[in-house]
Amino acid sequence: MHAFGTESLESVGRRRTPAADTRWRLWALRPLWIAVHIAAVALMTVPAWILGGVRAEVQFWLFVVGACATLGCWSICLARSVSLRPLPVALVPLALALVLAALQTIPLPPTVHRWFSPRTQRWWQDLAPHAATDSEPADNGGYPLSLYPASTRREGDLLALAVAAFTLAAIVLANRTAFAIAGVAVAINGAALAFFGLAQQLTRYGGLFPPVGVGTPFASFVNRNNAAGFLNMCLACGIAISVWGIVHRTYRRPKRRPADELDSFHADRQGSRLQQICLSIPRTLGNNALLVLARLNSATLGGLLAAACIAAGIFCSLSRGGTIAMLGAAIITLLAAALAGRWRLAWLAPMFIAGLAACLLVGYVGKGDSVKQRLATLLDESTLQGDGRLVNWADGKLAAQDLLPAGSGLGTYRYVYRLYQQQPNSAWFYHAENQYLQTLVEAGLAGLALLLAALGLVALACWRLLRHAPDPTTYALGVAGTFAVSSQAISAAFDFGLYLPANMLLLAAICGAVCGRAARTEKKVSGTVCRNGPQGALHKRFLTPFSLASLFCRNGPEGAAHKRFLTPFSLASLFCRNGPEGALHKEKKVSGTVCRNGPEGAAHKRFLTPFSLCALPRLRPLAASCCVALSGLLLLAGGEARRAAAVAAALRQVQPLDLRRSQSVEALDGCLARFAVASPDGVQDVEAQWKLAQLWINRMRVGLVAIIRQDVPDDTSDSVIWTATDTVQLYGRAQQWTAQQQSAPLAALRTAPPVLENLPSAIWHLQRARRLCPLLPEIHLMLAQLAPLTAAGADNRADLQRARLVAPAQPAILTRCGLLELQAGRIALACRCWRTSLALNPKQLPEILRVARPEMDLVEHLGELLPDSPQWILDVALAQFGAEADRPIRDAALGQADRLAAARPGDDAQARWLRGRIAMLQDQPLLAVQRFTQAVEIRPNETAWRYDLAVALQRLERYAEAQEQARICALAEPNNEQYDALLRDVIRAQLAPNRRATSRQE
């Protein structure tokens, strides 16, 4: 795999071919090269303005542009007049990631699948077993590693696009001039996006950009966190431009004392050593600041202006993660520059100026208070604990542990994590909000290792550019790469921005440019590895830390280290020995020329370069093959994206239709035809299949409404008839007729023309959706509802079990499962479902009681229905069973709560207090006083418990004791009106007998 550059295009052409032929080839390649440049810059900038490139129709054009650009690079690879440029080693983990994504979609034999991912195999077998249907025979083959192969293919297509962008950048943007142009374009693009977002906030979406119904948008991004992540990478380019403007004049010049002409002003000053030190510090800082201000040029000012505008946009986006990533990346970049030995104290002045300008811009637009309040939530413990991401991370951690080592497949996290939910959550997380955790869940240990390896190789390339950059442009590229990679590595811990094509392509392009430039720089430096003389010092300074091969070519005293340390680790170490070991050199012949000077020195390039950590071997067929493979993958991905775009358009057409209500047959047929045209070979989208099944079910209900209308009075409302055709109602009637052995009405329902015409298609789409992704509980639930309506009357217990299995923390699904189990006569299973649902969400109780009262004896099954929480049962008894008609149910609930409280440890004060309240509700005040007294003795500071004790004593007319307890409560909380009222009532009741006795005496 190789890249080619335009830097030496003319010189190489003149050396290899005649002048006329070379000039013709160069002019023929120049338009193609420019077109590839433009395509690369377009991939970096344009998607950010189209909702981040999330729509399938936008991704189709991204695939087309990427394929054309890689084909252009392939054409350049075949041109012999262009010199070879090595591609970076970081391309290897990216290519392996593509292979991993492809392997996740291939059905594997059961034994192999069990070895890689036993959990996913069990999920497939339990949720979507191979079984014959009316239209398809039974398939006894294996299952893929991915639980949603279609989604994994889509994510793999985007990954291929990112690899293509990386390769294009390594080929195109590694050129100094090309990177300078691209960096300026990205910085301007980021400043424009930031300004657009600020203007959008000031005008409150005053027609500039339509607001989106989901998320918190900023600029053209639906999510402000994603916008902040993109702006951070643009900020890296703005900082790089500023750094280039500062260092390009004095780069690699001897360090001299700034503003020497000002030293004479202080030369005649005398004083103590302490005074001189105190005076020298501000003098040095002031001189450096004046020197930096004097060296400001258009590039520095432009970069600072763009950086200030972008930084202000990040602040005003109110993204906490984006702000943390920006500040952390700035610190990491400064530390890396300092450790690399290229740090200049003068950098602080322009960075301080840019930061100050950003803060002033934030204050000018009136967002200062909003930014302060948003950042203050980082220190608010209650806000952090209420963040749904913490709960989501806990669920994702459980999923990652269970799905090792191969993961569940790329793009499956939003379906998989719900299998491991511990708490109900109305939000549906499409991502883990932590890209490392999501990678571990979806791709397993191999995917996480590849991700970390790619980050490590890019970081190594950034370090190489910072430490050994031969020119200021290369050094600025190292600064941009360090800031961009560090900011994205930080934000990846609490965001999912890199899953957006815009962010992904920009980071891939920056990393590709950095790694490509590092590979070229290493090639230039490695030419002096085996030289003796003055050039040998270059080896010690630059190559030793970065190339394993460079350690094997030392002559002189350093050669002793080879024998002691390097021989056990590399075969190449056998080729550099002097003395008796030279026999092996003579036998191998080829390797014996590694350390020689003269014509044999070319062997170094052939054998030692492959050991580099930055560059791959320079083989022209490998480079051409890489470009052809990427272009082919992108063309295939473009075809899938086009079909996905057509399906998405069909879904948007169906979206306005409320399928819970009756729709016209013409509208339903139009939607079905649109899906058929969008994907003639079958829709590979589980949500589209679910929508198609709903369309067919709605069409069936419309036909049943027409039949029922003929047999009911004319004054019957349409809503009543429509409700009667609901699948749950039809399921209940079918189960009732089956239990009563009424075959005639059941056969009439099953053979009704609307059922025969529409039900098979609906069931086919549901089964198709289950085979695509078996993790949607709604699909299993609908199959269970439609099972009794089929001619065979299939048993639906397996489908209900699957629905419960994939929705362990979704109360609505569990409540629906309980209803279906109840209608089928399985009361024990219904109570089990409802009990789990109530433990997750007590608000489901009214709905459960509504459907359970007519069908079952609540007094008999109350213990199976209610969760094992005495406090919760006590509250339910007061809220739901307070009526006199419900007294038997209330007594049963109180008895169950008392048994549960009694089962707690004997010294549990909370249990004693609960049992006291239960005794009060059961009209046993004496028993309540005993239990309240025991609870108060254990925890005397519980004022509410002491209040309950006073009420119980008042009820027993033990007014003196009640007065004492009420007085303690009133003293503990003087502002509590309830306690004061009780104390007055007790005193009044205590004085009432004395008043009656006095009146009798008179």
Side-chain angles (χ1 to χ4, degrees):
M1 290 184 282
H2 296 82
F4 303 87
T6 59
E7 302 169 301
S8 58
L9 202 148
E10 296 184 2
S11 62
V12 174
R14 287 194 296 268
R15 184 169 64 250
R16 294 187 177 182
T17 59
D21 186 38
T22 301
R23 190 178 302 109
W24 180 85
R25 292 189 181 186
L26 293 176
W27 280 106
L29 290 176
R30 192 175 299 276
L32 181 60
W33 191 262
I34 294 175
V36 174
H37 275 247
I38 295 175
V41 175
L43 290 175
M44 298 169 65
T45 55
V46 175
W49 293 94
I50 319 175
L51 296 178
V54 296
R55 292 186 178 274
E57 53 267 25
V58 178
Q59 294 175 10
F60 165 73
W61 290 109
L62 293 178
F63 288 130
V64 171
V65 173
C68 294
T70 50
L71 285 176
C73 289
W74 171 73
S75 301
I76 297 173
C77 289
L78 298 180
R80 293 290 178 178
S81 61
V82 182
S83 62
L84 292 172
R85 298 299 185 195
L87 284 181
V89 178
L91 191 61
V92 174
L94 298 180
L96 292 178
L98 285 176
V99 174
L100 178 62
L103 290 176
Q104 288 184 332
T105 61
I106 300 175
L108 301 176
T111 55
V112 178
H113 197 161
R114 188 180 305 109
W115 189 83
F116 278 106
S117 184
R119 174 57 65 181
T120 57
Q121 185 185 36
R122 285 196 292 270
W123 284 121
W124 275 114
Q125 292 174 349
D126 294 340
L127 301 177
H130 293 301
T133 62
D134 295 338
S135 57
E136 296 184 5
D139 182 8
N140 297 322
Y143 299 96
L145 290 174
S146 174
L147 290 172
Y148 189 4
S151 180
T152 303
R153 282 194 295 271
R154 287 193 290 269
E155 294 296 327
D157 294 340
L158 292 177
L159 182 60
L161 182 61
V163 176
F166 182 92
T167 307
L168 287 175
I171 295 173
V172 176
L173 301 184
N175 182 292
R176 293 192 299 270
T177 305
F179 168 72
I181 297 174
V184 171
V186 171
I188 294 175
N189 188 58
L193 274 172
F195 181 79
F196 180 64
L198 295 175
Q200 191 180 43
Q201 289 185 343
L202 293 177
T203 56
R204 297 183 181 180
Y205 306 109
L208 292 178
F209 197 81
V212 186
V214 295
T216 307
F218 181 80
S220 56
F221 286 82
V222 176
N223 189 298
R224 61 189 176 191
N225 295 325
N226 301 336
F230 185 87
L231 291 178
N232 269 319
M233 290 183 282
C234 297
L235 179 60
C237 294
I239 293 175
I241 295 172
S242 303
V243 170
W244 180 87
I246 294 174
V247 304
H248 81 284
R249 293 183 179 180
T250 59
Y251 194 78
R252 286 196 176 277
R253 292 183 181 180
K255 185 178 181 181
R256 58 185 181 181
R257 189 177 180 182
D260 291 333
E261 63 277 6
L262 297 179
D263 291 346
S264 60
F265 180 77
H266 304 280
D268 56 346
R269 295 181 179 269
Q270 302 294 331
S272 63
R273 180 65 177 171
L274 180 61
Q275 292 176 345
Q276 293 179 2
I277 294 176
C278 295
L279 291 175
S280 64
I281 294 175
R283 181 181 62 183
T284 303
L285 294 177
N287 293 343
N288 286 334
L290 291 175
L291 184 61
V292 170
L293 292 177
R295 290 177 178 174
L296 289 178
N297 51 27
S298 59
T300 305
L301 291 176
L304 291 177
L305 180 61
C309 185
I310 295 171
I314 294 174
F315 281 125
C316 292
S317 68
L318 303 182
S319 172
R320 297 173 297 181
T323 303
I324 293 174
M326 177 179 63
L327 299 178
I331 295 173
I332 292 174
T333 304
L334 294 177
L335 291 177
L339 293 175
R342 301 301 184 89
W343 163 256
R344 297 292 183 270
L345 188 62
W347 290 13
L348 288 177
M351 290 187 177
F352 176 78
I353 294 173
L356 181 61
C359 295
L360 292 176
L361 183 56
V362 170
Y364 177 76
V365 298
K367 292 294 182 179
D369 295 336
S370 301
V371 173
K372 291 180 182 178
Q373 294 175 2
R374 182 63 176 170
L375 296 180
T377 58
L378 292 172
L379 304 177
D380 188 358
E381 184 177 357
S382 60
T383 302
L384 295 178
Q385 291 179 352
D387 195 340
R389 279 180 285 196
L390 299 179
V391 179
N392 186 26
W393 290 343
D395 299 334
K397 182 181 178 181
L398 293 176
Q401 294 174 351
D402 194 40
L403 294 169
L404 292 178
S408 62
L410 299 180
T412 61
Y413 180 84
R414 61 172 173 165
Y415 304 104
V416 168
Y417 89 94
R418 299 201 297 179
L419 302 175
Y420 302 89
Q421 271 187 305
Q422 304 298 312
Q423 302 177 13
N425 196 334
S426 58
W428 187 4
F429 290 94
Y430 276 38
H431 300 279
E433 308 287 344
N434 185 313
Q435 296 180 36
Y436 306 106
L437 176 61
Q438 183 165 347
T439 302
L440 185 60
V441 172
E442 295 181 346
L445 294 175
L448 183 61
L450 292 175
L451 174 62
L452 297 179
L455 287 176
L457 291 173
V458 174
L460 179 63
C462 293
W463 173 259
R464 180 176 182 80
L465 295 185
L466 288 177
R467 188 172 179 84
H468 308 300
D471 54 78
T473 305
T474 302
Y475 183 74
L477 177 56
V479 172
T482 304
F483 190 95
V485 172
S486 57
S487 67
Q488 298 309 302
I490 294 173
S491 63
F494 32 77
D495 195 18
F496 60 94
L498 293 181
Y499 287 94
L500 266 72
N503 297 34
M504 176 189 65
L505 290 174
L506 181 55
L507 181 63
I510 293 176
C511 293
V514 169
C515 294
R517 192 62 192 171
R520 298 187 184 191
T521 304
E522 185 177 43
K523 177 209 170 190
K524 293 179 181 179
V525 178
S526 62
T528 62
V529 173
C530 297
R531 297 178 182 178
N532 295 321
Q535 296 86 349
L538 187 62
H539 160 72
K540 299 178 182 178
R541 293 197 306 271
F542 299 101
L543 295 184
T544 302
F546 300 100
S547 178
L548 296 177
S550 64
L551 299 175
F552 309 149
C553 303
R554 296 179 176 177
N555 295 322
E558 295 83 358
H562 160 73
K563 300 177 182 178
R564 294 195 303 269
F565 302 102
L566 299 181
T567 302
F569 301 101
S570 177
L571 294 176
S573 62
L574 300 175
F575 306 152
C576 301
R577 296 180 176 178
N578 298 321
E581 294 82 1
L584 182 61
H585 157 74
K586 296 178 181 179
E587 292 173 3
K588 297 297 181 183
K589 293 184 179 180
V590 177
S591 59
T593 60
V594 175
C595 295
R596 295 181 179 179
N597 297 322
E600 296 87 356
H604 161 73
K605 299 179 182 179
R606 294 197 304 270
F607 297 100
L608 295 184
T609 303
F611 293 95
S612 169
L613 294 179
C614 291
L616 291 170
R618 297 185 300 274
L619 298 176
R620 192 180 298 270
L622 196 57
S625 301
C626 177
C627 294
V628 170
L630 287 175
S631 60
L633 288 176
L634 293 182
L635 289 176
L636 293 176
E640 292 187 1
R642 186 175 183 180
R643 290 191 294 270
V647 173
L651 284 173
R652 286 195 295 270
Q653 184 183 10
V654 179
Q655 196 69 26
L657 297 179
D658 186 3
L659 297 181
R660 294 172 299 179
R661 300 180 180 276
S662 178
Q663 303 294 333
S664 64
V665 177
E666 292 77 11
L668 296 174
D669 289 342
C671 294
L672 293 173
R674 183 66 180 269
F675 276 108
V677 173
S679 183
D681 56 344
V683 179
Q684 298 295 320
D685 186 281
V686 64
E687 296 177 3
Q689 292 288 351
W690 167 241
K691 188 63 68 174
L692 281 167
Q694 289 179 311
L695 290 172
W696 284 106
I697 292 172
N698 192 283
R699 198 172 186 273
M700 179 187 71
R701 295 180 63 185
V702 170
L704 291 176
V705 166
I707 295 176
I708 296 174
R709 171 61 68 183
Q710 301 174 359
D711 300 332
V712 299
D714 296 337
D715 57 350
T716 305
S717 63
D718 295 336
S719 60
V720 174
I721 301 177
W722 179 253
T723 303
T725 62
D726 185 71
T727 53
V728 177
Q729 299 293 333
L730 297 177
Y731 172 87
R733 289 194 183 92
Q735 293 289 358
Q736 181 181 4
W737 291 333
T738 302
Q740 297 174 358
Q741 297 182 355
Q742 298 182 13
S743 58
L746 181 59
L749 175 61
R750 291 174 175 174
T751 58
V755 175
L756 294 177
E757 182 180 354
N758 301 284
L759 185 61
S761 298
I763 293 178
W764 185 90
H765 285 292
L766 290 173
Q767 292 175 345
R768 175 72 173 172
R770 186 174 64 182
R771 286 192 295 272
L772 288 173
C773 178
L775 303 180
L776 283 179
E778 294 83 1
I779 295 174
H780 301 291
L781 201 60
M782 184 58 69
L783 283 172
Q785 293 178 15
L786 298 179
L789 304 183
T790 59
D795 191 359
N796 65 346
R797 282 179 289 188
D799 292 322
L800 290 175
Q801 176 64 25
R802 292 164 186 156
R804 292 193 298 269
L805 189 63
V806 298
Q810 298 184 44
I813 297 296
L814 294 174
T815 301
R816 196 71 170 269
C817 290
L819 173 59
L820 298 182
E821 296 283 9
L822 178 65
Q823 292 177 337
R826 299 184 285 266
I827 298 179
L829 290 175
C831 291
R832 189 183 307 171
C833 294
W834 288 337
R835 186 174 188 174
T836 306
S837 176
L838 292 174
L840 295 170
N841 185 10
K843 295 181 179 179
Q844 297 289 327
L845 182 61
E847 175 66 17
I848 292 174
L849 293 177
R850 184 185 65 82
V851 300
R853 283 178 184 272
E855 302 292 337
M856 58 185 290
D857 186 1
L858 290 179
V859 176
E860 180 182 355
H861 298 282
L862 199 62
E864 304 175 16
L865 176 62
L866 300 180
D868 293 336
S869 174
Q871 178 65 60
W872 189 88
I873 295 175
L874 183 61
D875 295 338
V876 166
L878 295 176
Q880 299 293 335
F881 309 124
E884 187 63 26
D886 295 332
R887 186 176 182 85
I889 303 176
R890 182 173 68 249
D891 292 340
L894 293 176
Q896 181 182 355
D898 187 66
R899 288 190 297 272
L900 292 173
R904 293 186 176 184
D907 59 346
D908 191 344
Q910 180 79 16
R912 296 177 184 273
W913 171 70
L914 286 175
R915 298 190 69 191
R917 291 191 60 193
I918 294 171
M920 286 291 293
L921 293 175
Q922 292 176 339
D923 294 331
Q924 300 178 11
L926 182 59
L927 182 60
V929 168
Q930 295 176 1
R931 293 172 177 175
F932 284 144
T933 302
Q934 294 172 357
V936 170
E937 288 176 354
I938 298 174
R939 292 166 62 175
N941 295 327
E942 291 290 344
T943 310
W945 296 3
R946 196 176 293 274
Y947 171 80
D948 292 335
L949 175 58
V951 172
L953 291 171
Q954 181 188 18
R955 189 169 179 180
L956 291 174
E957 298 183 356
R958 295 161 59 175
Y959 298 116
E961 299 176 41
Q963 181 182 356
E964 179 63 21
Q965 299 297 333
R967 185 181 63 82
I968 296 175
C969 293
L971 291 176
E973 297 183 17
N975 297 325
N976 194 312
E977 297 181 358
Q978 187 179 18
Y979 297 163
D980 292 338
L982 176 63
L983 181 59
R984 289 194 299 268
D985 292 343
V986 171
I987 295 174
R988 190 179 299 111
Q990 188 176 10
L991 295 176
N994 296 334
R995 291 178 181 176
R996 288 195 294 270
T998 303
S999 62
R1000 291 195 201 98
Q1001 293 176 1
E1002 293 177 354

